[in-house]
Amino acid sequence: MSDENCVKDDCVAPCPKKLKINHENEDIINETTLLLKDFIVEKVLNNNSNRKTVCIQGKFKDKSDLGLIILEKNAFKENDLNSEGYFCQDTKLRTFFQNDIYGNYECYPRSQINGVKTTIIYPATEKHISKYNQQEVHIVLETPELYEKLTLPHLAKEQFNLQWVYNILEGKSEQDRIIHNNTSETEGFVLLPDLKWDGITKETLYLLAIVRQRGIKSLRDLDEGHLPLLKRVRDEGKKKILEKYKVPGSQLRIYFHYQPSFYHLHIHFTYLRHEAPGIYVEKSHLLDTVIDNIEMMGNYYKMATLPFTVREMDNIFNVYETNGHIKRIETNVENIELIDK
């Protein structure tokens, strides 16, 4: 998707655009036009002041399904830090205070460089709403036995529809976004910008490699037979990113998520200086470490205990809670009041 903006009377809003919607058991991509001015806000699901993102739940006029709007402040682009960008004659300052050598202001740059990255999910399912809702998070230590007994049966019933992934791999959608395409049936993959990246700003570089082999859900399915695939993704991904974005492999963080957000094997490539979501130890597994572990023990990820985070609104939390492996946090209002005092 592009992040083009329409500029009108100093206000910036996403242009009307075609939104691709994937419906269950359909190979055809339907298109609809969604406008932010038609969005009716119902509630704020999550307002993250650290990441400068907010997720709002609501509905579009004349449409019955729920939708989610995710707004994210863009990172600063170094090529805008000049006399034609933030320091141009159209930039305005509002003074909060000035004391000796220190001044505190609010800056109003020209609208063309002041856009807000906007993601629309429509129609949004209960799983989407749960994913973006602010809630308590827990760590589960998943043994191979727990994976087979609890996690795997849950995934068979609850995982997100993967049709959008197959549309990319089969050349039906987003082909203009693909920057590398290896068509091998066993070692092939596509490399394209993640939807969280604008595709331009080096400081927030974020790409996704989606493998062509079907049936590999996550780390748990990997063994020595997948080493050629993993090494090809690593080596060709590094080479292409260096060619196109001038970022060397030594400045890339290349990793898996566990649990992943969707269960078709994919690998994340991010700029080392970018604190992307999900880079911490409870979720992220470096590709080079995964390769080394499999070379030492071919079935390592079928035998290892793997941590993953789970939120209290996730259905899998209920599965682990019911079986006695995790406990919901009970909020004590009286204790909270005492702490506040």
Side-chain angles (χ1 to χ4, degrees), residues 283-304:
K283 191 174 181 69
S284 177
H285 299 256
L286 289 176
L287 174 57
D288 278 321
T289 301
V290 170
I291 291 172
D292 286 345
N293 287 339
I294 294 174
E295 286 180 334
M296 286 188 292
M297 181 187 297
N299 61 348
Y300 179 92
Y301 287 98
K302 291 178 172 61
M303 303 296 294

Side-chain angles (χ1 to χ4, degrees), residues 288-337:
D288 278 321
T289 301
V290 170
I291 291 172
D292 286 345
N293 287 339
I294 294 174
E295 286 180 334
M296 286 188 292
M297 181 187 297
N299 61 348
Y300 179 92
Y301 287 98
K302 291 178 172 61
M303 303 296 294
T305 294
L306 298 178
F308 68 86
T309 57
V310 60
R311 295 164 298 182
E312 291 188 355
M313 286 184 64
D314 295 340
N315 287 337
I316 195 170
F317 180 91
N318 297 328
V319 172
Y320 272 84
E321 183 183 39
T322 301
N323 286 272
H325 297 285
I326 201 168
K327 186 176 181 180
R328 192 177 304 271
I329 294 176
E330 299 294 336
T331 303
N332 190 321
V333 177
E334 292 182 1
N335 288 344
I336 292 174
E337 290 177 350

